[in-house]
Amino acid sequence: MGSTQAAVSFLTNLARVAFGLGAAATAVNASMYTVDGGQRAVIFDRFGGILDETVGEGTHFLIPILQKPNIFDIRTKAHTFSSVSGTKDLQMVNLTLRVLSRPEQKQLPWIFKQLGLEYDEKILPSIGNEVLKATVAQYNADQLLTERATVSALIRSALTERAKEFNIVLEDVAITHLSYGAEFSRAVEQKQVAQQEAERSKFVVAKAEQERRAAVIRAEGESEAAKLISEATTIAGTSLIELRRIEALRENAATLARSPNIAYIPGDQQMLLAMNRP
């Protein structure tokens, strides 16, 4: 009987010790928290509210029940949102903007107090649409294409300034997509077709003009050639006739020389011809 009571007492004490150890382990675990790489913690205290200092990476202690850590991701994140905006010439444009953002580390307590952990989802789409609409309204639809770099820089500058008001740092802002309404797209297509037709007509006119000039130059060349031939014939006409007469006499002399019945008598005047009779 005595041994049974001793065993029960030992088990009871062991259970109390185990419970105490478990409670202590739970208390220790509850008083510790870990901040991973690329994160920061903002501590909420039930008596003091949001503490001004942020907590860096590593394992830290807090007062259980009275304090609670709120973990922020401070790495740069990409956000994409679209906006349908009206241009200066009343055309509707669909723009898609990509933003790389991160929170200002020193201002995390303010961000948590004013905006909460989902600060970027609450702020960036609204100020992004605001800046897009205000910027696009300053340009005509065709200027958004020809001056895209200028428009993108203006949007980035304005959006960066607006984000600073909420302690959000923008690493990059870029227009990833730009499209117009169906009516404007048809108008642009028709304009391109008209420009192509105009260029084709201009080419046809230029070709006809070149052919006309070539015909004029060719006719002038032929006229000049005929004029030169006529002048040459006029200048050398007498000499040419004399040359033809000499050639004819030479042929006649050669013919007579071959004839046996012809004799030649030289003289100072004209040549006398005598015929030998048998």
Side-chain angles (χ1 to χ4, degrees):
M1 186 70 178
S3 60
T4 302
Q5 291 179 350
V8 171
S9 177
F10 174 76
L11 292 175
T12 301
N13 292 333
L14 183 61
R16 290 175 179 174
V17 171
F19 178 78
L21 292 175
T26 301
V28 171
N29 185 59
S31 64
M32 298 177 62
Y33 67 98
T34 300
V35 179
D36 295 330
Q39 296 180 340
R40 294 293 183 272
V42 174
I43 304 301
F44 170 73
D45 187 273
R46 294 187 183 276
F47 295 105
I50 303 297
L51 302 184
D52 294 333
E53 297 295 327
T54 60
V55 182
E57 302 163 357
T59 300
H60 308 276
F61 291 93
L62 52 71
I63 302 174
I65 300 175
L66 296 181
Q67 293 181 332
K68 177 184 178 183
N70 298 278
I71 307 299
F72 275 88
D73 189 346
I74 63 170
R75 291 169 294 190
T76 301
K77 294 188 293 183
H79 301 273
T80 302
F81 49 89
S82 300
S83 174
V84 179
S85 306
T87 62
K88 188 177 181 179
D89 54 351
L90 303 180
Q91 298 293 334
M92 300 308 296
V93 180
N94 187 1
L95 287 170
T96 300
L97 203 64
R98 186 208 62 188
V99 176
L100 300 179
S101 67
R102 61 176 176 83
E104 182 65 55
Q105 296 186 35
K106 296 181 179 180
Q107 299 299 327
L108 287 177
W110 183 93
I111 292 176
F112 180 73
K113 185 184 300 185
Q114 300 295 330
L115 305 174
L117 292 175
E118 303 298 330
Y119 66 94
D120 48 357
E121 299 297 334
K122 295 178 181 178
I123 298 301
L124 291 179
S126 60
I127 65 174
N129 279 290
E130 173 191 343
V131 170
L132 279 176
K133 291 181 182 298
T135 304
V136 170
Q138 302 176 30
Y139 293 89
N140 292 330
D142 55 346
Q143 289 179 310
L144 294 179
L145 292 176
T146 58
E147 303 179 21
R148 181 165 180 168
T150 303
V151 175
S152 181
L154 186 60
I155 291 174
R156 176 175 182 172
S157 177
L159 192 56
T160 300
E161 291 300 320
R162 288 288 286 129
K164 282 183 179 179
E165 300 176 9
F166 302 94
N167 295 306
I168 300 174
V169 179
L170 299 185
E171 301 289 352
D172 184 59
V173 178
I175 298 175
T176 59
H177 178 73
L178 190 153
S179 61
Y180 297 95
E183 293 182 0
F184 184 78
S185 298
R186 284 195 298 269
V188 171
E189 183 178 358
Q190 292 173 358
K191 181 179 179 180
Q192 291 177 343
V193 171
Q195 289 177 344
Q196 292 175 356
E197 291 295 333
E199 291 296 328
R200 187 179 295 108
S201 299
K202 188 185 298 183
F203 171 76
V204 172
V205 171
K207 182 180 178 181
E209 179 65 18
Q210 292 297 328
E211 291 177 350
R212 185 190 67 80
R213 291 182 180 180
V216 170
I217 294 172
R218 187 163 49 248
E220 290 177 351
E222 293 175 353
S223 175
E224 185 67 20
K227 181 179 179 181
L228 291 175
I229 293 172
S230 177
E231 291 178 354
T233 304
T234 301
I235 295 173
T238 304
S239 300
L240 184 62
I241 294 172
E242 184 65 21
L243 178 62
R244 292 290 185 266
R245 189 180 71 81
I246 294 172
E247 289 178 351
L249 291 175
R250 184 180 297 171
E251 290 179 359
N252 291 334
T255 303
L256 293 174
R258 289 191 295 270
S259 178
N261 298 322
I262 300 299
Y264 297 89
I265 300 175
D268 293 337
Q269 298 178 355
Q270 293 183 349
M271 227 176 13
L272 297 176
L273 303 179
M275 182 174 293
N276 295 328
R277 296 184 178 179

